[in-house]
């Protein structure tokens, strides 16, 4: 039996086609399992878990760098499409509230990352990027562009996604205000001209980032372009659900296939402290939410979801399926994401340096 198993593993390791077949089948299994558990990040986490399992077993396949850049570009277009001009009006009309909510949450996350760096739980800027509240996929991609360990950043970000999703869902359910989530229509009618224009924006963003050597440009260039074009009415960003599902899968593979046994051992050792820090961050942000309740009069669930430390996609799903002030929640979440994208690299370097100096 042992010889047979070793022969099978040797055969799989020597054929890239078999490895891709294994990771594809395993990805479908894990996605269905996580979807059954109602986890919003299942489409990315499932393929990532499958890829990690293959990589730790000695798999040698990798996602091409150009394909990886393409996944980042589509995520940029997705974020850009979701940023409406109304956010600016919402923030301008209640700027003290946004300064308090957004600034306090970012400060708490920065402190969280600085402490993990100071305790040497994770190396360099990895703990800072892993702590930033925002879109988990976006933060992971940005971290890789700024020389953090993308594998450990993904580990931290998705531990937090799991915790935030679970806690927020429980809070929403306990409040008795949840509504059934509409089923996703995977193959809706596609507006082909808008679809072609969207792909062109993504492709041009990747090319511009490479030619101009812009760090994280494959994400940021399409994000900025798609937000400007969509809000100006010049074009509509068309991203069918099936394309985003495939994009999440490729991103999950790109991250997961980089794992090694050594990285997994390090992640396992860091898990207790990372989990404790994540729960502390969620509790601190909930405290900020209580301050918003008293300062603005918004209901507690709205304030909690507005200050919840990401990911933005998970919070958006929970918010739209609950009886809350959705524009207020998404405006605060998006404003925080924009600030983190703009200031994250410089702040991460500064905090990491200070954290190492204080040890």
């Amino acid at each position: 039996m042992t010889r047979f198993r070793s022969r099978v593993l040797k055969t799989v390791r020597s054929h890239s086609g078999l490895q891709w077949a294994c990771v594809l089948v395993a990805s479908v299994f894990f996605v269905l399992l996580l979807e059954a558990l109602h986890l919003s990040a299942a489409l990315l986490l499932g393929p990532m878990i499958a890829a990690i399992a293959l990589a730790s077993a000695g798999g040698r396949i990798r996602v091409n760098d150009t394909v990886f850049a393409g996944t980042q570009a589509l995520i940029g277009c997705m974020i850009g499409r979701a940023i409406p001009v109304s956010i600016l009006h919402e923030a301008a009309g209640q700027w003290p509230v946004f300064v308090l909510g957004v600034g306090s949450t970012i400060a708490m996350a920065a402190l969280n990352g600085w402490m993990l760096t100071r305790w040497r739980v994770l190396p360099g800027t990895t703990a800072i990027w892993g702590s930033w509240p925002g879109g988990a996929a976006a933060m992971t991609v940005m971290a890789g562009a700024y020389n953090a360990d993308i594998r450990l950043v993904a580990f931290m970000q998705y531990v937090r996604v799991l915790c935030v999703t679970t806690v927020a869902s429980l809070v929403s359910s306990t409040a008795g205000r949840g509504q059934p989530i509409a089923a996703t229509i995977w193959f809706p009618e596609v507006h082909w001209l808008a679809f072609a224009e969207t792909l062109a924006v993504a492709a041009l963003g990747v090319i511009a980032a490479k030619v101009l050597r812009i760090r994280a440009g494959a994400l940021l260039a399409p994000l900025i372009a798609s937000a400007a074009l969509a809000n100006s009415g010049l074009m509509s960003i068309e991203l069918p659900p099936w394309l985003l599902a495939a994009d999440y899968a490729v991103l999950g593979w790109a991250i997961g296939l980089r794992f090694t046994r050594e990285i997994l051992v390090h992640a396992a050792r860091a898990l207790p402290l990372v989990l404790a820090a994540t729960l502390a961050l969620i509790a601190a942000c909930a405290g900020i939410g209580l301050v918003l309740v008293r300062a603005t009069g918004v209901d507690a669930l709205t304030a909690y979801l507005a200050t919840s430390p990401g990911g933005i996609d998970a919070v958006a799903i929970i918010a739209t399926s609950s009886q809350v002030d959705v524009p207020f929640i998404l405006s605060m979440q998006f404003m925080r994401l924009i600030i983190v994208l703009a200031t994250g690299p410089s702040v991460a370097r500064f905090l990491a340096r200070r954290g190492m100096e204080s040890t």
Side-chain angles (χ1 to χ4, degrees):
M1 185 67 180
T2 303
R3 287 183 179 179
F4 176 75
R5 181 182 176 186
S6 62
R7 285 181 181 178
V8 170
L9 287 174
K10 186 176 180 180
T11 302
V12 171
R13 289 170 183 168
S14 61
H15 292 82
S16 60
L18 283 176
Q19 291 180 44
W20 280 116
C22 288
V23 80
L24 180 60
V25 172
S27 296
V28 172
F29 169 77
F30 284 118
V31 166
L32 293 176
L33 177 62
L34 295 176
E35 286 280 4
L37 297 174
H38 304 290
L39 294 178
S40 61
L43 291 173
L44 192 148
L45 284 174
M48 187 186 299
I49 293 170
I52 290 172
L54 180 71
S56 64
R60 299 180 183 277
I61 56 173
R62 294 291 183 272
V63 173
N64 180 274
D65 289 342
T66 302
V67 175
F68 185 37
T71 66
Q72 299 173 43
L74 290 176
I75 289 172
C77 290
M78 179 191 70
I79 297 173
R81 177 183 66 175
I83 301 178
V85 175
S86 59
I87 286 179
L88 300 177
H89 298 302
E90 186 85 21
Q94 303 186 63
W95 69 264
V97 174
F98 275 75
V99 169
L100 172 64
V102 174
S104 299
T105 304
I106 292 176
M108 291 293 182
L111 177 62
N112 185 284
W114 177 78
M115 292 298 292
L116 290 175
T117 300
R118 186 172 183 271
W119 294 334
R120 296 182 180 272
V121 176
L122 296 170
T125 60
T126 299
I128 313 295
W129 281 107
S131 298
W132 279 140
M139 293 301 101
T140 302
V141 168
M142 286 281 289
Y146 285 89
N147 303 319
D149 191 319
I150 191 173
R151 299 162 297 186
L152 292 176
V153 171
F155 158 69
M156 278 192 70
Q157 284 284 341
Y158 288 103
V159 164
R160 195 175 72 242
V161 165
L162 290 173
C163 291
V164 167
T165 303
T166 301
V167 173
S169 297
L170 288 174
V171 170
S172 180
S173 299
T174 302
R177 299 163 66 179
Q179 299 173 351
I181 299 175
T184 301
I185 301 174
W186 291 106
F187 297 96
E189 182 180 352
V190 176
H191 300 282
W192 293 106
L193 177 59
F195 183 52
E197 291 173 341
T198 301
L199 294 181
V201 168
L204 290 173
V206 171
I207 294 170
K210 189 172 183 179
V211 171
L212 301 176
R213 297 182 180 180
I214 304 171
R215 284 194 175 188
L219 173 77
L220 294 179
L223 190 159
I224 295 169
S226 58
L229 291 169
N231 281 293
S232 65
L234 293 176
M235 66 172 282
S236 174
I237 303 300
E238 182 79 6
L239 292 168
W242 54 264
L243 178 64
L244 287 177
D247 191 63
Y248 282 143
V250 175
L251 179 60
W253 293 335
I255 296 168
L257 291 171
R258 301 184 185 202
F259 273 78
T260 62
R261 291 181 183 178
E262 292 75 16
I263 288 291
L264 287 173
V265 169
H266 189 94
R269 289 174 180 169
L271 180 59
L273 278 176
V274 168
L275 189 58
T278 298
L279 295 176
L281 178 60
I282 293 173
C285 291
I288 298 168
L290 290 177
V291 174
L292 286 183
V293 170
R294 300 201 172 182
T296 66
V298 298
D299 66 276
L301 185 56
T302 293
Y304 175 77
L305 292 176
T307 56
S308 184
I312 189 171
D313 49 355
V315 173
I317 289 172
I318 295 169
T320 53
S321 62
S322 305
Q323 298 174 17
V324 292
D325 188 343
V326 176
F328 178 84
I329 292 169
L330 294 185
S331 295
M332 190 162 289
Q333 289 278 340
F334 278 127
M335 191 60 65
R336 190 176 68 205
L337 174 60
I338 292 168
I339 292 173
V340 169
L341 287 173
T343 64
S346 56
V347 174
R349 285 193 298 268
F350 173 77
L351 290 176
R353 187 167 56 249
R354 296 288 295 180
M356 297 301 292
E357 289 174 356
S358 61
T359 56

